[in-house]
Amino acid sequence: MSEARRLEVLRAIVEDFVHSREPVGSRMLLDRHQLGVSAATIRNDMALLEEEGLIVAPHTSSGRVPTEQGYRRFVDRIEDVRPLSSAERRAIQALIEGAGDVDEVLERTVRLLAQLTNQVAVLQVPQFSNTVVRHIELVGLGEGRTLVVLIGSNGKVEQRVAQLERDVAEEDLQVLKAALLGGLADSRLDEVPARAELALSSLPQTLRAAGASLAAALNSLSEHSVVDKIVMAGTANLARSNRDFSLSITPVLEALEEQVVLLRLLSELEIDPRGVAVRIGRENMYDGLEETSVVATGYGPDKIAKVGVLGPTRMDYSSSMAAVRAVARYLSRILSS
């Protein structure tokens, strides 16, 4: 019971601090929350939370504020992401559905997400080049190893060694090459995975396993054609959060300008069972982002690309998680139609 009560006290501290930006004391908790215990009990719980490293006193004789570990414990205990209000859902639907083309849909999406959360909204957009497959070469290296070479219409040559279950005779390599090249010639590089799978169906059963390994290698090589970009909105919201950063927002702004960093960060995020990914403070191991939090989720048919928000660790996590998830669902629906 005491553990559950302490976590209720932690929840109350997080919510009050996020709302007020002021350290939270026991008297404030007693006045604002129905915790059902005395001020002395709350002070004792706060002392234990401080020992656990979940809250800290920023100044002598002040109230307490959550630490990164405190925010993490709070976020992990959010069992269900609350749905948005019907008014918020209608606003999302009206704004996104009213866009004229895909680029406008994406621009409206990040502007809307920034407005809903008062954070910086970021959206990862896969960009596929128009390069097509010009040629495929397979070279047996012995001991089941085969060099796979993919040559694009732009003249770029990509190659890697595929490990097969067994050595494949030269004449069988030619059969594999003919099947893969027949299925992939003049296809865009982003079409390689689907077309390679179709090409495998024309192979004799005895060559299917080798064909699958070679197709996997070609899929990996084709991924080099993808150059993602970032669509962003709401950087002005950081200025209103300047007090939440120990020095200034300049390192954060500089990190946001580095699209490579943001793309890497978004690509690394793992979606949890609630349908979102949350990184808090120093969980973001990139220069300039150590005092920020990121809430994101996947969108689109395969949910690989991410959309989300970035802001100070003093973030309304519940609302941000709900907004990110809802906007991603509407965006996926629009793009699929």
Side-chain angles (χ1 to χ4, degrees), residues 64-83:
R64 303 296 186 268
V65 301
T67 63
E68 288 179 15
Q69 295 94 327
Y71 284 125
R72 170 50 65 193
R73 182 74 66 86
F74 169 80
V75 168
D76 288 346
R77 282 180 54 82
I78 299 175
E79 295 179 358
D80 297 310
V81 178
R82 67 166 181 80

Side-chain angles (χ1 to χ4, degrees), residues 226-260:
V226 183
V227 182
D228 291 355
K229 73 171 184 177
I230 290 286
V231 180
M232 189 184 314
T235 51
N237 288 329
L238 282 177
R240 289 188 283 273
S241 302
N242 196 37
R243 287 171 51 195
D244 293 309
F245 299 96
S246 58
L247 297 176
S248 74
I249 62 172
T250 302
V252 184
L253 293 173
E254 290 175 347
L256 291 176
E257 290 179 1
E258 295 291 335
Q259 290 210 358
V260 174

Side-chain angles (χ1 to χ4, degrees), residues 82-98:
R82 67 166 181 80
L84 296 182
S85 68
S86 57
E88 289 172 322
R89 292 197 301 272
R90 286 195 299 270
I92 293 173
Q93 187 172 359
L95 189 63
I96 296 181
E97 288 184 351

Side-chain angles (χ1 to χ4, degrees), residues 25-308:
S26 58
R27 177 58 59 184
M28 188 183 302
L29 292 176
L30 198 63
D31 293 341
R32 293 183 180 177
H33 301 273
Q34 302 297 319
L35 296 174
V37 293
S38 66
T41 301
I42 292 176
R43 284 194 295 271
N44 184 59
D45 286 339
M46 292 177 69
L48 292 172
L49 289 171
E50 192 165 7
E51 286 181 14
E52 292 182 59
L54 302 180
I55 60 175
V56 67
H59 309 290
T60 305
S61 301
S62 71
R64 303 296 186 268
V65 301
T67 63
E68 288 179 15
Q69 295 94 327
Y71 284 125
R72 170 50 65 193
R73 182 74 66 86
F74 169 80
V75 168
D76 288 346
R77 282 180 54 82
I78 299 175
E79 295 179 358
D80 297 310
V81 178
R82 67 166 181 80
L84 296 182
S85 68
S86 57
E88 289 172 322
R89 292 197 301 272
R90 286 195 299 270
I92 293 173
Q93 187 172 359
L95 189 63
I96 296 181
E97 288 184 351
D101 56 28
V102 172
D103 286 341
E104 188 179 357
V105 167
L106 301 180
E107 292 287 350
R108 287 190 178 199
T109 297
V110 290
R111 288 203 306 271
L112 173 65
L113 191 52
Q115 291 168 6
L116 286 172
T117 62
N118 293 315
Q119 310 292 350
V120 179
V122 292
L123 187 145
Q124 179 183 13
V125 187
Q127 299 290 299
F128 294 96
S129 74
N130 292 321
T131 302
V132 299
V133 175
R134 175 183 291 171
H135 189 64
I136 293 170
E137 195 62 61
L138 305 177
V139 181
L141 303 176
E143 299 180 347
R145 296 182 306 138
T146 300
L147 178 66
V148 182
V149 182
L150 177 65
I151 303 174
S153 58
N154 59 356
K156 188 174 182 180
V157 178
E158 301 282 357
Q159 60 185 37
R160 69 178 300 171
V161 175
Q163 182 65 54
L164 310 183
E165 293 181 358
R166 58 179 178 80
D167 259 342
V168 176
E170 181 59 34
E171 54 268 29
D172 287 336
L173 273 182
Q174 293 307 312
V175 172
L176 288 162
K177 172 184 170 182
L180 291 169
L181 190 55
L184 298 178
D186 296 324
S187 63
R188 292 200 320 271
L189 295 184
D190 59 298
E191 298 173 329
V192 166
R195 294 206 177 187
E197 187 173 348
L198 285 176
L200 295 180
S201 62
S202 67
L203 288 170
Q205 193 65 40
T206 54
L207 294 179
R208 293 278 177 90
S213 297
L214 296 173
L218 288 167
N219 294 347
S220 178
L221 294 176
S222 69
E223 289 174 356
H224 288 276
S225 68
V226 183
V227 182
D228 291 355
K229 73 171 184 177
I230 290 286
V231 180
M232 189 184 314
T235 51
N237 288 329
L238 282 177
R240 289 188 283 273
S241 302
N242 196 37
R243 287 171 51 195
D244 293 309
F245 299 96
S246 58
L247 297 176
S248 74
I249 62 172
T250 302
V252 184
L253 293 173
E254 290 175 347
L256 291 176
E257 290 179 1
E258 295 291 335
Q259 290 210 358
V260 174
V261 171
L262 285 179
L263 289 169
R264 193 178 303 139
L265 172 61
L266 291 173
S267 298
E268 291 172 355
L269 295 176
E270 295 184 5
I271 309 302
D272 66 24
R274 298 168 298 186
V276 292
V278 182
R279 276 198 182 177
I280 301 170
R282 283 166 291 185
E283 294 172 3
N284 296 308
M285 296 177 291
Y286 296 98
D287 289 344
L289 299 180
E290 303 92 338
E291 293 185 87
T292 66
S293 287
V294 178
V295 176
T297 191
Y299 75 91
D302 52 14
K303 301 292 190 296
I304 293 177
K306 306 289 196 320
V307 58

